[in-house]
Amino acid sequence: EVQLVESGGNLVQPGGSLRLSCAASGFTFSSYGMNWVRQAPGKGLEWVSYITTSSSTIYYADSVKGRFTISRDNAKNSLYLQMNSLRDEDTAVYYCARDSGRYYAADYWGQGTLVTVSS
Amino acid sequence: DIQMTQSPSSLSASVGDRVTITCRASQSIRNYLNWYQQKPGKAPKLLIYGASNLQSGVPSRFSGSGSGTDFTLIISSLQPEDFATYYCQQSYESFTFGPGTKVDIK
């Protein structure tokens, strides 16, 4: 069974940093691109970042470019999101999601981890 | 950047109704259009990929069509478990979600 489990969400002050993790199981992690997607309270989905299987290609949303860094460790079946210079507007549930390999659609999602940026 | 719009933003419907949701891209995205369903407090669920391909396990009452800039999600006969918010997503150039369409009970 495919499972994605996020962790690392917390309350952090503006300007602070946080590192999110996503532990993958039930599939060959190294064979799939991965995404981070977030959802602010009461709002819609916002794609954050994407990383290819070998980390050779990475994309970021303009809203996080230069502040967030996506990475992966295929040996540990894990995906990460390093978030620096956090702002109030980064408050959201952060989901990791697997790229199905078909039109880059995300076929499996974690349950999400809440990041709250507030003083 | 490619912008996505959806209409309507919300709709009220009854069980058994045919529901149509439209998604429009600001430029051609060929058929790199995916549809997701999200229920409150839950992660999104993939329904349709590549504009018209039904994800495994998704009921056949869901269908998608379109290419270029205009796309449609149709629920042929709305069921109680279909009351949710639906998002389109372009994956042609980076990724962008539409603002969502909330389907609630009439």
Side-chain angles (χ1 to χ4, degrees), chain A residues 27-92:
Chain A
F27 65 102
T28 304
F29 180 71
S30 59
S31 296
Y32 290 85
M34 296 294 296
N35 296 275
W36 286 101
V37 176
R38 69 185 181 183
Q39 187 168 36
K43 303 297 184 183
L45 301 172
E46 180 186 16
W47 169 78
V48 172
S49 186
Y50 175 85
I51 187 169
T52 54
T53 56
S54 62
S55 306
S56 58
T57 301
I58 286 172
Y59 301 109
Y60 296 101
D62 288 345
S63 58
V64 307
K65 202 173 293 183
R67 300 187 299 122
F68 289 12
T69 302
I70 190 172
S71 63
R72 65 189 296 162
D73 186 334
N74 288 339
K76 293 183 177 180
N77 292 334
S78 293
L79 176 72
Y80 306 102
L81 186 67
Q82 177 66 43
M83 305 186 294
N84 298 330
S85 303
L86 282 161
R87 305 167 179 167
D88 291 352
E89 56 265 34
D90 295 319
T91 294

Side-chain angles (χ1 to χ4, degrees), chain B residues 73-86:
Chain B
L73 174 69
I74 292 175
I75 309 172
S76 60
S77 177
L78 197 67
Q79 297 302 299
E81 59 269 30
D82 301 337
F83 292 97
T85 300
Y86 294 84

Side-chain angles (χ1 to χ4, degrees), chain B residues 51-78:
Chain B
S52 61
N53 301 285
L54 194 66
Q55 173 68 0
S56 175
V58 174
S60 59
R61 63 181 178 272
F62 291 93
S63 65
S65 64
S67 66
T69 60
D70 295 314
F71 302 88
T72 300
L73 174 69
I74 292 175
I75 309 172
S76 60
S77 177
L78 197 67

Side-chain angles (χ1 to χ4, degrees), chain B residues 21-101:
Chain B
I21 298 170
T22 297
C23 176
R24 176 166 289 176
S26 59
Q27 66 186 72
S28 176
I29 57 171
R30 293 169 56 189
N31 59 342
Y32 282 77
L33 191 285
N34 309 307
W35 289 98
Y36 300 87
Q37 175 195 67
Q38 187 181 33
K39 297 180 180 179
K42 300 293 186 182
K45 172 186 175 182
L46 177 64
L47 299 176
I48 302 283
Y49 63 91
S52 61
N53 301 285
L54 194 66
Q55 173 68 0
S56 175
V58 174
S60 59
R61 63 181 178 272
F62 291 93
S63 65
S65 64
S67 66
T69 60
D70 295 314
F71 302 88
T72 300
L73 174 69
I74 292 175
I75 309 172
S76 60
S77 177
L78 197 67
Q79 297 302 299
E81 59 269 30
D82 301 337
F83 292 97
T85 300
Y86 294 84
Y87 295 92
C88 62
Q89 177 209 32
Q90 69 82 18
S91 54
Y92 178 72
E93 185 179 282
S94 189
F95 305 89
T96 314
F97 285 96
T101 295

